[in-house]
Amino acid sequence: MVEVGTKGNDKELSVLVKTKLEKVAKDFSFTERGKLVYRGHPSIYSDVVAETVELVQRSGGLSRKKLLERKPHWHEEFEVRIAKNLEEHNYMFACEILQNLVRYTSQGRPVIWITPVGPMGHYHVLAEIMNKLGRSLKFRPELIFPFAMDEWSDANGNAVNTPEFVNYMTSFASDMHEQFYDKLARHARIPETNLRFASDERLRDYVPAIEKLLAQNAGVVFTGGVGMAGHIMFWEPTYGALLGKEISEKVMYIRGAPLTTETIAQNRFTSTASAPVPPYANTIGLGLFCLFRDYEKKNPGNVTAIFGLDNVEEPLIWQRFIAQCMLAMEQADPSFGATYPATVPGAYIVVENHFKGFKVPAK
């Protein structure tokens, strides 16, 4: 059963969203070996997003000039930064994060850091810089409060520990420890008590903890990547298309969110050597990003969004098309979550590779 948290704990709204998402999972389930099975649903976009996606597809690849034109919904302090290759992307991403962590904590202020598991290549770079320069930079790791944006789950929002996945699936929490937290030296280590992960029922505590930190004039560093269908977090296009803008911007979290076939396929490419992945996840909602967006309007300079588009593997360039769709969008739309980071100060960090056409050599 899906669980939904909404702005102001609006029970009626939570039930409405829950009902719609459970219907998506039911409508795309089927019987196999006597069991009801769900393996994803196709992405559904709003008409405006669908028109832009078709425009980009018909182009075969838009020009760099067209893609980099400033769009109406972009914040005046948001920009697109281009990395020559994956290594430069990871370095730029790490430096942007560290700059903001230092900026806030050196003032004695807490910082809320929303963390993704994808991209991940910047984490080892960030750990190395923090270890080598942490003392001279005078940042305070005890003031950093990371919140994981999502996690695999079963249909009820509980941890995945069934026999079919246990031998090769790891949790996002363990991935973060392996790739970042455990690499930090003692002087740079973020206290374990500050770390929050999205497994099981823990998403329920996010909003109260975040609101408490915002009341202390916290800085916010919202980091992430962009999925094959244009999602951020595990906020799938279908949710925005079904719910509309007003409701979407009030959804704070979803437990047991039914994923799209595109998201499932992408994660099979990138996470498990094409072995199956769970079709459900726990995720923060678009409403949490909007909470930070509204906080930034009242407290300019307190929020930064940094999103990386780092896919360079030939011929599996799964991100080039969606990166161009993202840059072509003329407005923020809840059925294309990747349009939202541009509404606050920050940057898309995009590898040069994404400004090519869509045709790749046959192999």
Side-chain angles (χ1 to χ4, degrees):
M1 302 287 286
V2 175
E3 179 185 317
V4 177
T6 53
K7 184 178 180 180
N9 291 316
D10 186 325
K11 302 299 183 185
E12 185 176 340
L13 185 60
S14 296
V15 171
L16 184 151
V17 176
K18 167 187 166 71
T19 302
K20 286 181 177 290
L21 297 189
E22 287 180 348
K23 186 176 187 301
V24 169
K26 181 180 178 181
D27 288 349
F28 289 92
S29 295
F30 57 93
T31 301
E32 181 179 84
R33 294 189 294 173
K35 296 190 302 182
L36 199 61
V37 176
Y38 174 76
R39 293 204 182 109
H41 67 274
S43 293
I44 301 172
Y45 295 116
S46 70
D47 289 346
V48 171
V49 169
E51 288 172 8
T52 304
V53 169
E54 183 178 350
L55 180 152
V56 175
Q57 180 182 353
R58 288 177 178 272
S59 76
L62 292 174
S63 70
R64 178 192 293 240
K65 181 180 178 181
K66 176 67 175 175
L67 292 169
L68 295 181
E69 288 176 355
R70 292 196 65 81
K71 305 304 189 291
H73 64 288
W74 289 10
H75 191 282
E76 62 182 9
E77 295 179 36
F78 190 87
E79 62 180 346
V80 179
R81 300 186 62 193
I82 301 172
K84 294 177 182 177
N85 49 44
L86 181 59
E87 290 72 24
E88 186 170 87
H89 168 279
N90 293 339
Y91 178 77
M92 290 167 66
F93 207 160
C95 288
E96 285 286 339
I97 293 170
L98 183 60
Q99 175 185 339
N100 284 283
L101 297 181
V102 170
R103 177 162 67 98
Y104 296 124
T105 64
S106 64
Q107 299 170 4
R109 298 165 56 195
V111 56
I112 298 163
W113 179 19
I114 306 297
T115 60
V117 175
M120 292 201 78
H122 60 287
Y123 284 127
H124 73 92
V125 180
L126 179 58
E128 184 175 353
I129 298 174
M130 289 172 68
N131 289 342
K132 290 183 177 180
L133 301 180
R135 289 191 176 95
S136 61
L137 291 173
K138 298 181 180 179
F139 82 104
R140 297 172 58 184
E142 75 275 10
L143 291 176
I144 301 172
F145 294 85
F147 290 76
M149 60 172 51
D150 45 30
E151 180 61 90
W152 296 117
S153 79
D154 63 15
N156 298 311
N158 299 317
V160 176
N161 54 15
T162 50
E164 63 266 36
F165 296 118
V166 72
N167 287 324
Y168 63 88
M169 289 291 300
T170 57
S171 70
F172 289 171
S174 64
D175 291 340
M176 283 298 296
H177 274 286
E178 178 184 339
Q179 297 296 322
F180 181 61
Y181 296 128
D182 291 350
K183 293 181 181 292
L184 294 173
R186 178 171 295 182
H187 69 272
R189 185 157 295 172
I190 301 169
E192 189 75 25
T193 52
N194 289 15
L195 309 183
R196 290 182 183 266
F197 298 103
S199 57
D200 295 314
E201 300 175 353
R202 296 174 186 174
L203 280 173
R204 296 174 182 172
D205 300 327
Y206 273 35
V207 171
I210 285 169
E211 288 179 337
K212 183 177 179 180
L213 290 167
L214 293 180
Q216 300 172 46
N217 195 31
V220 178
V221 182
F222 199 117
T223 56
V226 176
M228 183 186 284
H231 78 206
I232 58 173
M233 303 90 76
F234 275 130
W235 179 266
E236 298 287 48
T238 307
Y239 310 162
L242 292 178
L243 300 174
K245 191 180 184 75
E246 183 179 355
I247 293 177
S248 293
E249 294 190 354
K250 294 178 179 178
V251 177
M252 310 308 277
Y253 73 82
I254 307 171
R255 295 180 61 231
L259 302 178
T260 61
T261 51
E262 293 92 337
T263 293
I264 292 167
Q266 174 204 320
N267 279 277
R268 290 181 68 164
F269 296 156
T270 58
S271 302
T272 60
S274 79
V277 298
Y280 301 96
N282 291 349
T283 184
I284 60 175
L286 200 60
L288 192 60
F289 183 89
C290 294
L291 173 70
F292 295 135
R293 180 195 63 191
D294 296 342
Y295 174 71
E296 192 278 332
K297 290 177 181 177
K298 297 176 182 177
N299 303 274
N302 276 17
V303 177
T304 302
I306 310 159
F307 276 66
L309 293 95
D310 63 337
N311 169 236
V312 296
E313 294 86 358
E314 296 279 5
L316 295 176
I317 305 296
W318 60 265
Q319 201 174 43
R320 183 183 298 167
F321 174 72
I322 213 66
Q324 293 198 19
C325 290
M326 175 191 75
L327 293 172
M329 296 290 170
E330 296 283 343
Q331 65 185 49
D333 190 295
S335 72
F336 202 98
T339 55
Y340 273 74
T343 63
V344 301
Y348 295 131
I349 302 176
V350 185
V351 290
E352 179 87 30
N353 192 44
H354 288 327
F355 293 94
K356 299 179 182 179
F358 306 138
K359 182 176 175 58
V360 297
K363 292 192 178 182

